[in-house]
Amino acid sequence: MIDLSKIKVGDEIYIDGDSGFCTPHYVIIKSIDVELDPRTMQEFTSITMSDGHKFDSRTGRAMNPPTAYFIRLD
């Protein structure tokens, strides 16, 4: 199981999706950034992939379209 708190730039992560249109694939982490949640005002980490797709480290869910994708943790 992947621990999102221990990943680093350059790691390869498996991405999957909730839709039949999603193609599961591996992608490289390009950057890990600290952001501010506009609702809670709490800091959290976002993960940007080499293909430009961005994910929330708290949930593993996509933050930008296509939002059906998620980081596969198992």
Side-chain angles (χ1 to χ4, degrees), residues 18-32:
D18 291 332
S19 166
F21 294 106
C22 295
T23 304
H25 60 284
Y26 285 93
V27 67
I28 305 292
I29 297 173
K30 179 181 173 184
S31 68
I32 299 172

Side-chain angles (χ1 to χ4, degrees), residues 6 15-16 20 29 33-34 38-39 41 47 54 56 59 62-64 71:
K6 296 184 185 202
I15 304 300
D16 204 347
I29 297 173
D33 303 293
V34 175
R39 290 180 328 184
M41 302 309 286
I47 304 160
K54 191 175 192 177
D56 185 325
T59 63
M63 295 175 64
N64 60 344
I71 295 172

